[in-house]
Amino acid sequence: MLQPITTSSPSTIPRRFQLPLRSVLIIPFLLQIFAAVGLVGWFSFRNGRQAVNNVVDQLKQELTYRVEATVLFFLEVPHQVTRINLDAIRQGYFDVDSSLDINLPLRRYYLNQIQQFDTVSAIGYGNEKLEYLDVQKEIVGDGENLIVTRAGKSTGYARVVYETNEQGELGRVSFKSPNYDPRERPWYKSAVKAGEAVWSPIFVYVSQPKIGITASTPVFEADSEVVTGVTGVNITLEHISNFLEELKIGKSGQVFIVELDGSLVATSTGESPLLIKKENQESVTERITATESQNKLTRASVDYILGQFGALDQIKSPEKLDFKLDGERQFLQVSPLKDERGIEWLIVLAIPEKDFMEQIDANRRQTIALCFLALGVAITLGLFSSWWIAKPILRLQESAGAIANEGQLIHKVDIRGIAELENLGTSFNRMSERLQASFTALEQANTQLEQRVQERTAELEVAKEKAEVANQAKSSFIANMSHELRSPLNAILGFAQIMTRSQSLPLDHQENIGIIYRSGEHLLTLINNVLDLSKIEAGKTTLNENNFDLHRLLDDIHDMFQLKADSKGLQLLLEREENIPRYLCTDEVKLRQVLINLLNNAIKFTESGGVTLRVTLVETTENSQSKKISFAVEDTGAGIAPEEIDKLFEAFVQTETGKQSQEGTGLGLPISRKFVQLMGGDIQVTSQVGKGTTFSFEIQAEEVEAKALETQKPKRKVIALAPAQPRYRILIVDDKVLNRQLLVKLLNPLGFELKEASNGKEAIEIFEVWQPHLIWMDMRMPVMDGYEATQKIKATTQGQATAIIALTASVLEEEKAVVLSAGCDNFMRKPFREEDIFTAMHKYIGVEFIYEKVEEKTTKQTREILTRENLAALPAEWQRELENAIVNSDRKTINGIVEKISLENEELAGALKECLYNFEYEKILNILS
């Protein structure tokens, strides 16, 4: 028998166990607030400290990299000058074996050269006959004079210093010293000892309190290793200090450079690396070490480094350190600075922590204050909230009691103590007897739910329309993505081109670079396919008609796929009617891409039998040059199911056979169809499952004469700048370091004077001071883009005379008009080819180059030379050795045999090299067998 539920009255529970409802609500709330405020304060302090460490690490790495790159670039200038002078001597432009002091052309050459290089202080030459000649810059007040020093037989082997003018004419003698032997000078000895380009020890100038260093190179007797003389270039190292002083390193940070013996080379503090003291009433200038520096942070930094490593020459890689000076933490970064000519210095970057912690400490104090303020506000709100929450709960209890006892839906609630909560359970137990009354409310809720479903359906319709709009924006997104992909691809292809210029790379490395370059070109083709699709969907694809040789195009495509067909044991046939016109005018690139897509698919999905490319003339009239030509690609492959044929030309859709091959993107056929439609035709498909497939299409084209074809000139490699040209200043503007480095590595070896900027604002600042001849301008950059920078530069008088060429990864034709309207002289896309860069520089600023000689000779096609008959004419032993070497992948033996063959048949050897370069090993083995 069920027992009735009974409840205890409030009086049966002891009062000491009853808590007010507001206390029950506020205590957990306050505990949460205290915990949250404490955690916020702790995380604020920890994250502030971590942020400082991260910022300092990034700043140290960036500044060290910038200092290292700038100093190495500065040190490269004198060696560039010595290389130029050494080439002039080797070419016989100057007679340096006779008396140098009467060699007026050499003197004028040095005078002209020293005025072109701001950082060069002296240029000279000495030989084993004690002949010596140099030209120096002498600082006089705020200006400088040019002086000439000569020594040799005509001066009685005395060192005589003359004043001179810009024409090289000597003036009065300003200094003379007897018995001068250039062979005893440190710069001369260093070059003779090294036998190559080398740096002299750092020295102190006699005439001025500065330090310098000499880049010297030995001159050898023709076809021997006998040194006949040494050419040298002096630079003052104060330029490095000037650069370091311009760096902003927090509020009180500094950077300085020292030698491994501790001698100070340059510093950002403005301190002189020299100490001038009196000895016997004469001024004596000496170099100081970093531990002798007047700057406290400099001394303390080096003392700490020596304490950690014992000696500076023990530091072989970048080191991150920190120590305390006067109770303040100091961050250190020590990085070796080396070059292949003997420079071994250390870059020391010191940054006080207080430069960054002042704002962090202020923020921490502010955070703590806000935390306490938030705590006070939270307590106030908590008290109010507890009252605000408790009141409805009490009203709910009273209402529930009214509903349970009297069935009233509305009841006036009187606020009571916490004891009333005990009656709330009893009231809800009784309320279950009247739940039937809630069915009406459930029906109303059901009606409301149906209404919400209808509203949701309407929302889905709107979302569907938005999705369709987003699908239309897909093409624009793909075009933008192609821009982002082409930027790194520019670096891949560009640096691959630069490496191919190297004459010292081993053959296997040259092959690897070739693979990288061809893979990059393939990736560029894939990106262009995606872009073609976006252009097609946007209706922006147009025909780019040109005159070309159709027969040659068909033969090239046949040769391209012959090896792939042979590797699968397939027969690849080209059937071309005799009346097919040879020279046509239409879009050769799009026709080639369509044929390649169709043949590639045919061979890929054919396992036995063969593939045939048929070309026929559909119709023609006697008085018309317009021709309609039919192309058909027939295979004996797996075929296509009828239900899949309609989906063939949908983008990113593949047949079941295509999915099983796990190759392709599903873009080839859609793009091909659009291209054919542009050329006046359409693609037709006929297929039988298990028997094969035929793709056919027709195009409209104009027949032209052979003389209408443009003859392609052989590509020539630039090897140097032509002599007697000004020192061209080139500014490279790009926010990506790799893109700037690519142009620097391409142009720097040729002797151009280069500067870099990472945005348009920096470009304008450099332009106003440096006034370059040419600016390579990227268009998309932070801070200030290339459009605004170009407009501001071109608005000046000097800017009108400065050539600006846009370099952009965008491929949209409409952007070209925007770039040119901004003031750019030309528009060039990334990835670019080096010959395009040199051609543009010749066109817009008149740079003349010296090109590698290219032997122009008529050559036969590889398939006409590499035949079974020609290989059979070789000695049987050579044939066996070549076959075994290819099977064993013995590259060294292969090259040796090809060299033997070149002595007998140069054409055959060249054809073999081409096949080996393209890894067509199976093709050679098939012919040999």
Side-chain angles (χ1 to χ4, degrees):
M1 181 176 180
L2 296 177
Q3 298 295 326
I5 298 176
T6 60
T7 59
S8 301
S9 65
S11 59
T12 60
I13 299 178
R15 300 295 299 179
R16 65 178 178 271
F17 293 112
Q18 294 180 350
L19 293 175
L21 179 60
R22 291 175 60 184
S23 299
V24 173
L25 293 174
I26 190 61
I27 291 175
F29 181 74
L30 291 179
L31 291 176
Q32 294 177 15
I33 293 298
F34 276 112
V37 169
L39 288 174
V40 168
W42 183 75
F43 277 116
S44 174
F45 175 78
R46 192 192 69 169
N47 292 342
R49 175 73 67 172
Q50 184 65 36
V52 169
N53 293 336
N54 293 338
V55 169
V56 172
D57 284 344
Q58 294 175 9
L59 179 61
K60 289 190 297 185
Q61 293 176 2
E62 176 66 24
L63 287 173
T64 301
Y65 170 78
R66 185 177 176 185
V67 170
E68 181 179 1
T70 302
V71 172
L72 289 178
F73 176 78
F74 170 77
L75 294 175
E76 181 63 23
V77 172
H79 280 286
Q80 288 180 355
V81 177
T82 59
R83 287 197 298 269
I84 294 172
N85 294 344
L86 184 60
D87 290 340
I89 293 173
R90 288 174 176 172
Q91 295 296 329
Y93 294 147
F94 307 107
D95 182 10
V96 294
D97 293 327
S98 62
S99 182
L100 295 179
D101 62 333
I102 61 174
N103 195 332
L104 183 58
L106 179 60
R107 189 190 315 150
R108 288 179 174 173
Y109 176 74
Y110 281 169
L111 285 169
N112 179 59
Q113 197 174 53
I114 198 171
Q115 294 179 68
Q116 294 183 20
F117 297 93
D118 297 335
T119 59
V120 173
S121 63
I123 304 175
Y125 177 81
N127 61 26
E128 293 292 314
K129 298 178 181 180
L130 306 187
E131 297 288 339
Y132 177 75
L133 175 67
D134 75 18
V135 176
Q136 303 182 36
K137 293 177 181 176
E138 181 181 41
I139 305 301
V140 179
D142 295 333
E144 62 182 23
N145 292 335
L146 297 176
I147 62 174
V148 172
T149 302
R150 62 180 190 174
K153 184 177 180 181
S154 64
T155 64
Y157 301 102
R159 178 171 174 265
V160 184
V161 180
Y162 298 86
E163 295 180 354
T164 185
N165 57 23
E166 295 182 355
Q167 287 72 37
E169 297 173 350
L170 301 179
R172 69 181 184 89
V173 175
S174 61
F175 179 79
K176 185 175 183 180
S177 63
N179 302 325
Y180 181 76
D181 187 350
R183 301 174 303 176
E184 298 301 321
R185 305 304 299 165
W187 59 272
Y188 196 103
K189 289 182 177 181
S190 300
V192 173
K193 181 179 179 180
E196 60 182 358
V198 71
W199 288 107
S200 74
I202 295 177
F203 59 87
V204 180
Y205 283 89
V206 176
S207 59
Q208 51 186 333
K210 297 180 181 179
I211 60 175
I213 191 170
T214 302
S216 55
T217 303
V219 179
F220 296 96
E221 188 177 289
D223 301 326
S224 72
E225 296 183 358
V226 177
V227 176
T228 60
V230 174
T231 178
V233 175
N234 291 359
I235 56 173
T236 59
L237 297 182
E238 69 172 355
H239 294 284
I240 300 179
S241 292
N242 294 338
F243 161 71
L244 297 182
E245 291 176 21
E246 295 175 357
L247 294 177
K248 296 181 179 179
I249 312 172
K251 291 184 178 179
S252 57
Q254 61 179 250
V255 59
F256 57 91
I257 301 174
V258 296
E259 293 187 274
L260 297 185
D261 63 356
S263 297
L264 195 61
V265 176
T267 177
S268 63
T269 63
E271 179 183 11
S272 173
L274 297 174
L275 176 63
I276 303 176
K277 57 184 181 180
K278 294 288 186 177
E279 289 186 5
N280 298 325
Q281 296 183 351
E282 292 185 359
S283 297
V284 178
T285 304
E286 295 181 351
R287 294 185 63 193
I288 64 171
T289 63
T291 55
E292 300 170 339
S293 171
Q294 297 298 315
N295 187 280
K296 188 176 182 179
L297 181 55
T298 300
R299 293 197 312 274
S301 299
V302 176
D303 289 339
Y304 180 77
I305 294 171
L306 291 174
Q308 293 293 314
F309 296 94
L312 298 181
D313 57 6
Q314 298 300 312
I315 301 176
K316 307 298 182 182
S317 60
E319 299 288 346
K320 296 179 180 179
L321 308 169
D322 64 84
F323 70 99
K324 287 191 175 182
L325 177 62
D326 297 334
E328 296 288 344
R329 187 183 181 196
Q330 312 292 325
F331 295 102
L332 281 181
Q333 170 132 345
V334 187
S335 301
L337 176 66
K338 296 183 179 181
D339 73 354
E340 68 274 13
R341 302 181 185 93
I343 289 294
E344 290 190 85
W345 298 344
L346 290 179
I347 301 173
V348 182
L349 181 64
I351 305 177
E353 184 185 40
K354 66 179 182 180
D355 288 0
F356 300 90
M357 284 302 297
E358 291 180 0
Q359 185 63 38
I360 297 297
D361 291 339
N363 290 342
R364 186 169 65 249
R365 290 191 295 270
Q366 184 178 7
T367 301
I368 293 174
L370 290 175
C371 288
F372 280 110
L373 177 62
L375 180 61
V377 172
I379 292 174
T380 303
L381 291 177
L383 294 173
F384 174 76
S385 299
S386 64
W387 172 83
W388 184 74
I389 294 173
K391 185 177 180 180
I393 292 177
L394 295 177
R395 292 181 60 189
L396 176 63
Q397 183 271 336
E398 187 175 353
S399 298
I403 293 172
N405 296 324
E406 304 174 8
Q408 298 178 4
L409 296 179
I410 300 176
H411 184 74
K412 183 177 181 181
V413 179
D414 295 328
I415 298 176
R416 300 287 182 178
I418 191 67
E420 279 75 10
L421 289 175
E422 298 176 7
N423 297 326
L424 186 61
T426 303
S427 299
F428 274 103
N429 289 333
R430 294 174 181 174
M431 188 174 59
S432 61
E433 299 173 359
R434 300 182 179 271
L435 284 179
Q436 186 65 36
S438 64
F439 289 157
T440 303
L442 289 176
E443 292 178 357
Q444 294 176 353
N446 185 52
T447 302
Q448 294 175 357
L449 180 61
E450 291 179 354
Q451 182 178 0
R452 291 182 62 188
V453 169
Q454 293 176 356
E455 294 174 353
R456 184 59 178 167
T457 302
E459 292 175 358
L460 291 176
E461 291 293 334
V462 174
K464 180 181 179 182
E465 294 177 0
K466 292 181 178 179
E468 292 176 352
V469 173
N471 186 52
Q472 294 176 357
K474 176 185 64 177
S475 298
S476 175
F477 169 76
I478 292 175
N480 290 332
M481 283 301 299
S482 72
H483 175 277
E484 296 302 321
L485 294 172
R486 293 170 78 95
S487 291
L489 190 58
N490 178 56
I492 295 173
L493 293 177
F495 280 103
Q497 290 181 81
I498 291 176
M499 294 183 71
T500 58
R501 296 171 60 90
S502 174
Q503 301 297 324
S504 60
L505 282 180
L507 182 60
D508 55 342
H509 288 187
Q510 293 179 9
E511 293 175 354
N512 294 338
I513 294 301
I515 292 173
I516 293 173
Y517 186 79
R518 294 195 298 275
S519 299
E521 290 282 3
H522 179 63
L523 179 58
L524 180 60
T525 301
L526 295 179
I527 295 173
N528 288 336
N529 282 346
V530 176
L531 184 63
D532 287 338
L533 180 64
S534 68
K535 287 182 178 179
I536 289 170
E537 292 182 347
K540 297 180 179 179
T541 302
T542 58
L543 280 180
N544 298 315
E545 297 183 342
N546 65 299
N547 302 329
F548 66 96
D549 186 341
L550 176 61
H551 292 191
R552 181 64 179 270
L553 171 64
L554 296 173
D555 290 339
D556 288 346
I557 293 177
H558 180 268
D559 291 344
M560 182 187 304
F561 288 98
Q562 184 64 61
L563 179 62
K564 186 173 183 179
D566 292 342
S567 65
K568 297 186 68 173
L570 302 176
Q571 186 179 24
L572 179 61
L573 299 178
L574 171 60
E575 296 180 2
R576 181 177 61 219
E577 290 185 349
E578 293 296 331
N579 60 347
I580 293 295
R582 183 177 187 122
Y583 305 108
L584 296 179
C585 177
T586 187
D587 195 323
E588 178 189 12
V589 175
K590 290 183 173 59
L591 177 60
R592 177 189 292 270
Q593 185 170 347
V594 172
L595 293 175
I596 289 175
N597 286 343
L598 295 180
L599 283 171
N600 186 59
N601 286 343
I603 295 175
K604 180 168 61 177
F605 299 119
T606 301
E607 299 300 329
S608 62
V611 176
T612 303
L613 171 59
R614 293 189 178 89
V615 186
T616 58
L617 187 63
V618 178
E619 63 181 19
T620 182
T621 60
E622 295 180 357
N623 299 324
S624 176
Q625 297 296 320
S626 179
K627 309 293 181 183
K628 180 178 285 188
I629 303 174
S630 174
F631 299 85
V633 177
E634 180 181 346
D635 64 62
T636 58
I640 304 172
E643 62 272 17
E644 292 183 325
I645 290 180
D646 293 336
K647 300 179 181 180
L648 284 176
F649 300 102
E650 295 180 12
F652 304 104
V653 175
Q654 291 181 301
T655 63
E656 288 300 321
T657 306
K659 293 177 182 178
Q660 293 172 6
S661 70
Q662 298 183 353
E663 294 182 21
T665 59
L667 294 177
L669 287 177
I671 293 175
S672 297
R673 187 174 200 176
K674 293 295 183 181
F675 285 173
V676 171
Q677 290 174 347
L678 283 173
M679 291 185 285
D682 201 355
I683 295 182
Q684 307 296 330
V685 185
T686 58
S687 180
Q688 292 184 4
V689 176
K691 292 186 178 181
T693 304
T694 300
F695 285 86
S696 60
F697 65 91
E698 299 174 354
I699 65 169
Q700 292 281 355
E702 295 289 331
E703 184 177 4
V704 297
E705 298 293 335
K707 60 183 180 182
L709 269 65
E710 296 182 2
T711 57
Q712 294 185 351
K713 297 181 179 180
K715 294 181 180 179
R716 299 184 300 167
K717 183 183 294 183
V718 170
I719 58 176
L721 291 178
Q725 294 191 87
R727 173 78 167 173
Y728 289 104
R729 297 183 296 277
I730 309 299
L731 175 58
I732 302 169
V733 187
D734 201 304
D735 61 322
K736 294 180 174 57
V737 176
L738 284 180
N739 288 339
R740 299 200 303 270
Q741 288 182 347
L742 172 58
L743 281 174
V744 168
K745 289 183 179 294
L746 178 63
L747 301 178
N748 192 42
L750 299 178
F752 289 104
E753 189 172 351
L754 304 176
K755 284 196 177 183
E756 304 176 40
S758 61
N759 56 63
K761 183 178 179 182
E762 291 183 9
I764 293 175
E765 293 173 354
I766 295 174
F767 166 79
E768 292 174 347
V769 177
W770 197 48
Q771 295 185 352
H773 296 90
L774 171 66
I775 301 176
W776 292 106
M777 181 72 73
D778 186 25
M779 305 313 291
R780 292 189 182 184
M781 295 180 292
V783 182
M784 181 186 291
D785 59 27
Y787 300 98
E788 184 178 352
T790 300
Q791 290 172 347
K792 291 186 176 181
I793 291 174
K794 286 295 186 180
T796 65
T797 303
Q798 179 63 29
Q800 294 294 327
T802 302
I804 302 180
I805 302 178
L807 271 179
T808 175
S810 174
V811 294
L812 300 178
E813 286 297 329
E814 54 267 26
E815 185 164 346
K816 180 176 182 179
V818 178
V819 169
L820 295 179
S821 65
C824 291
D825 297 279
N826 200 357
F827 177 91
M828 192 174 295
R829 293 187 175 94
K830 303 173 185 175
F832 55 78
R833 291 175 172 81
E834 63 178 45
E835 56 264 28
D836 298 332
I837 296 292
F838 295 137
T839 300
M841 296 181 72
H842 170 72
K843 178 178 179 181
Y844 289 98
I845 61 175
V847 182
E848 297 292 339
F849 300 97
I850 299 176
Y851 295 90
E852 182 181 50
K853 291 184 178 179
V854 178
E855 296 183 1
E856 297 186 6
K857 57 182 181 179
T858 58
T859 57
K860 299 180 181 178
Q861 293 190 14
T862 301
R863 57 196 176 93
E864 298 175 359
I865 302 171
L866 195 60
T867 62
R868 193 181 306 275
E869 292 76 13
N870 288 340
L871 286 178
L874 297 175
E877 183 181 355
W878 290 7
Q879 297 182 45
R880 289 194 300 272
E881 289 179 359
L882 180 60
E883 184 174 4
N884 292 334
I886 293 176
V887 171
N888 296 321
S889 299
D890 186 351
R891 190 72 189 185
K892 183 176 180 181
T893 303
I894 294 173
N895 293 334
I897 298 171
V898 173
E899 290 298 325
K900 292 179 183 179
I901 296 173
S902 65
L903 300 177
E904 300 291 335
N905 190 333
E906 186 177 354
E907 282 189 342
L908 180 58
L912 284 170
K913 287 181 180 179
E914 182 177 350
C915 288
L916 293 170
Y917 177 79
N918 294 320
F919 306 104
E920 298 176 350
Y921 300 120
E922 293 293 336
K923 180 176 181 178
I924 300 175
L925 291 176
N926 290 337
I927 298 175
L928 283 171
S929 61

